[in-house]
């Protein structure tokens, strides 16, 4: 309990740095605004309220005020949060009056103690009177109720909660309840982002059925503050120096490095395979898609047909046009019908006129549980086919028993998941997004505040509340240490050696299973022979020479495919990038060489080498995005030689090795489906029969 109080005190110190004024809650040791009694002679009553005292009048929240609040001693009696709200409201009205500035009260309390009865009327009447004054002066209030888990509710706490939620029902306050210091730090937001519409217009269900809606961002990533460049070249005596750094870019030609290319002689280029296609600004403007602004409903789908993993970017909220009764009724009817039928809507959205792209997304109903809040929709952008990344993995059930976890291992893993459950039964969820601040932003602003006072200050250690966000709870780890040890004993850990990245030649190379076995035997023999010999130090110049040979192969080896190692020669030609036509030249050379192997083969003596060439050519066409080159080559070769019995047997060999035509699943530019690729080789088998 003592450590929890200390963490709450640290949180409140952080909140005070944010220059806020709060109510005090004695039971959790938070000195924030005032108490019923105090032992400090400097403190005095304000406005005749017994339960709230302040050290001096607060005109602006400066460093002196912050220190005064930090040094305010603890009292001896519980405070009255209604009195605190009245005093804070009175101070704001006297200080700012009827100005148009946004005014906000922040109340932190445990709301566990009985409030005094008002001189006249009931406590509900007092809340209504305060709410009327807040509405009159456009003052909002953030109320945070801090109660640790395990606190038993009683009638007094229920009454206090009812009064606080009555403020919320009057639309003048937001009430949240937290039970940890970390949630307390995240619940109080020093900067409220005003909602700004990204779209105002019609939700077009059909040409005769349109609903007036507004669209807002429901979630948006808070960007890290941008650090600007600062110049110290200005003289120290210049008080009006901006210290701004301006950056200018110059474009120069490779052929004439000393000549600057003016803007009218520059043009943008699009990298298309190995080529660069120039596109002028006029051409780009002509091909640019310029859709009309609007939101159209394309249809409905089952909610289960759209997985949660398809949702992209930020979440938007579609609400009916404020004050439009017909729009509110129409949105509510549509949302409730979709909810009952478990359906979602598919929309086509163009937020602005001449927008460069079109957003397709899913509209999910959001049925309101509050009487004065209308129903609405949530909108999530869906991916196109090019945006989806499918990664198929084998099921554990298809693996051999030796690769599957044992019952003991499975039980140890299950216990670990249960141990670190953030929403255990009977407790509030831990690290809820609504109350979990970004630790990077919190630490940055805390350090920025420190640097403004102490320019030479070093970064302080991570705060305990932020540590609970970035690290597992130490209490849970220490308490469940045997479970973690049991998990480590259940699994045998082995070192995974680092492997070198495969070069293009290695990725293109085809290795038959028999060749792999021979290669492993040869490697084993070499290793055995080398065991008894001392390893000679390698010449560093020889290693450098090999690296240069790999990066810049000799031109004598490039340009022709020989009979000794045609696959290696083909890979060397692909690695040569001296011009944009070199890849096409390598593919043409390999097609000619492979055709000669197939035509001049006597009783299939060259089929194995031809198979290796086909595999290398196929992989190269996939990597270089040239699937049609390979597909047309195979198709024309078969049509020309299909009446020769030996050639048909070669195509049957390709089919047995699964060397098919390149389909769309392997290369998007291909026009061949997987079924068409397999049926092509079925034709060869039928013709041979």
């Amino acid at each position: 309990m003592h450590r929890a109080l200390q963490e709450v005190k640290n949180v409140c110190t952080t909140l005070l740095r944010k220059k806020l004024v709060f109510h005090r809650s004695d039971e959790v040791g938070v000195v924030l605004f005032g108490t019923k009694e105090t032992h400090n002679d400097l403190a005095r009553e304000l406005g005749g309220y017994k339960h709230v005292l302040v050290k001096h009048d607060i005109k602006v929240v400066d460093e002196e005020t912050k220190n005064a609040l930090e040094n305010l001693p603890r009292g001896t009696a519980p405070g009255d949060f209604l009195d605190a709200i009245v005093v804070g409201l009175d101070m704001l009205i006297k200080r700012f009056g009827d100005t148009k500035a946004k005014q906000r009260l922040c109340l932190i309390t445990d709301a566990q103690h009985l409030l005094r009865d008002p001189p006249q009327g009931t406590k509900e009447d007092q809340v209504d009177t305060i709410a009327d004054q807040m509405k009159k002066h456009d003052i909002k209030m953030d109320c945070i109720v801090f109660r640790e888990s395990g606190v038993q509710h009683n009638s007094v706490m229920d009454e206090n909660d009812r009064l606080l939620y009555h403020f919320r029902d009057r639309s003048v306050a937001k009430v949240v309840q937290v039970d940890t210091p970390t949630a307390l730090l995240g619940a109080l937001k020093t900067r409220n982002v005003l909602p700004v519409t990204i779209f105002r217009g019609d939700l077009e269900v059909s040409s005769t059925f349109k609903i007036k809606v507004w669209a807002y961002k429901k979630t948006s990533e808070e960007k890290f503050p941008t650090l600007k460049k600062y110049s110290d070249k200005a003289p120290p005596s210049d008080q009006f120096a901006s210290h701004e750094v301006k950056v200018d870019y110059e474009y120069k030609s490779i052929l004439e490095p000393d000549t600057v290319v003016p803007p009218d002689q520059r043009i943008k280029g699009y990298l298309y395979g190995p080529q660069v296609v120039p596109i002028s600004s006029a051409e780009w403007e002509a091909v640019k898609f310029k859709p009309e602004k609007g939101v159209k409903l394309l249809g409905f789908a089952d909610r289960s047909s759209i997985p949660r993993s398809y949702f992209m970017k930020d979440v938007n909220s579609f609400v009916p046009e404020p004050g439009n009764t017909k729009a509110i009724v129409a949105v509510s009817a549509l949302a409730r019908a979709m909810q009952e039928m478990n359906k979602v809507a598919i929309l086509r959205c163009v937020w602005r006129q001449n927008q460069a792209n079109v957003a397709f997304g899913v509209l999910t109903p959001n049925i309101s549980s509050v009487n004065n809040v209308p129903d609405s929709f949530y909108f999530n952008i869906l991916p196109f086919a090019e945006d989806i990344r499918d990664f198929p993995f084998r099921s554990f059930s298809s693996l051999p028993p030796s690769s599957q976890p044992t019952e003991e291992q499975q039980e140890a893993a299950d216990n670990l998941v249960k141990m670190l459950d953030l929403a255990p039964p009977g407790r509030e969820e831990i690290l809820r997004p609504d109350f979990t601040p970004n630790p990077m932003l919190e630490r940055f602003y805390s350090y920025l505040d420190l640097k403004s006072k102490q320019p030479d200050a070093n970064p302080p250690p991570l705060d305990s509340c932020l540590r609970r966000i970035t690290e597992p709870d130490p209490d849970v780890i220490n308490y469940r240490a045997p479970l973690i040890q049991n998990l480590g004993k259940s699994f045998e850990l082995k070192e995974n050696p680092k492997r070198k990245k495969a070069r293009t030649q290695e990725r293109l190379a085809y290795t038959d299973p028999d060749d792999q076995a021979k290669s492993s035997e040869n490697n084993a023999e070499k290793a055995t022979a080398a065991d008894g010999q001392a390893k000679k130090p390698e010449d560093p110049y020889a290693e450098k020479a090999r690296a240069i040979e790999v990066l810049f192969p000799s031109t004598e080896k490039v340009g022709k495919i020989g009979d000794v190692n045609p696959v290696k020669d083909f890979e060397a030609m692909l690695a040569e990038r001296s011009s944009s036509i070199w890849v096409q030249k390598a593919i043409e050379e390999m097609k000619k060489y492979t055709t000669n192997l197939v035509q001049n083969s006597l009783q299939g003596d060259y089929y194995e080498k031809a198979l290796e060439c086909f595999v290398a050519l196929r992989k190269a066409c996939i990597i270089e995005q040239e699937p049609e080159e390979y597909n047309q080559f195979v198709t024309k070769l078969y049509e020309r030689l299909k009446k020769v019995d030996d050639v048909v047997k070669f195509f049957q060999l390709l089919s047995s090795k699964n060397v098919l035509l390149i389909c769309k699943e392997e290369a998007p530019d291909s026009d061949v489906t997987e079924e068409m690729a397999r049926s092509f080789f079925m034709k060869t088998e039928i013709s041979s029969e």
Side-chain angles (χ1 to χ4, degrees), residues 28-43:
V28 294
V30 184
V31 181
L32 288 177
F33 193 66
T35 59
K36 183 177 181 180
E37 298 177 7
T38 180
H39 299 291
N40 192 335
D41 296 332
L42 296 178

Side-chain angles (χ1 to χ4, degrees), residues 618 652-661 666 678 681:
R618 186 178 188 276
Q652 292 175 355
L653 176 63
L654 292 180
S655 178
S656 64
K657 295 294 184 179
N658 205 29
V659 184
L660 311 176
L661 297 179
E666 297 174 294
R678 295 190 179 278
F681 286 103

Side-chain angles (χ1 to χ4, degrees), residues 515-531:
D515 296 337
Q516 292 180 357
K518 294 178 182 178
S519 177
S520 61
E521 292 175 1
N522 295 335
N523 292 337
E525 292 176 359
K526 292 179 181 179
T528 305
D531 286 342

Side-chain angles (χ1 to χ4, degrees), residues 47 83 119 122 142 190 204 281 298 315 335 348 365 368 371 602 685:
D83 283 350
T122 63
D142 292 335
T190 59
E204 185 176 339
S281 57
L298 302 181
V315 183
R348 173 190 182 274
S368 175
N371 294 331
L602 183 62
E685 295 176 2

Side-chain angles (χ1 to χ4, degrees), residues 608-634:
E608 289 297 329
K609 180 179 287 189
L611 175 63
E612 294 180 7
C613 294
F614 262 86
V615 172
L617 178 61
R618 186 178 188 276
K619 289 187 177 182
C621 289
I622 293 175
I623 294 174
E624 300 296 339
Q625 302 177 7
E626 298 287 351
E628 292 303 317
E629 287 284 343
Y630 177 81
N631 292 341
Q632 293 179 8
F633 166 66
V634 174

Side-chain angles (χ1 to χ4, degrees), residues 591 614 627-642 647 651 654 660-662 672 676-677 680-681 683-684:
K591 285 161 61 175
F614 262 86
E628 292 303 317
E629 287 284 343
Y630 177 81
N631 292 341
Q632 293 179 8
F633 166 66
V634 174
T635 303
K636 291 179 180 179
L637 183 64
Y638 168 71
E639 292 294 335
R640 190 172 44 154
L641 303 176
K642 63 182 179 180
V647 176
F651 281 103
L654 292 180
L660 311 176
L661 297 179
I662 300 175
V672 179
M676 294 170 59
F680 175 81
F681 286 103
K683 294 178 182 178
T684 62

Side-chain angles (χ1 to χ4, degrees), residues 47-70:
Y49 299 102
K50 299 179 181 179
H51 302 276
V52 182
L53 300 95
V54 295
K55 210 160 187 179
H56 55 78
D57 291 333
I58 300 177
K59 296 182 179 179
V60 292
V61 183
D62 52 10
E63 191 70 19
E64 182 182 356
T65 302
K66 183 180 77 69
N67 295 332
L69 289 171
E70 288 179 340

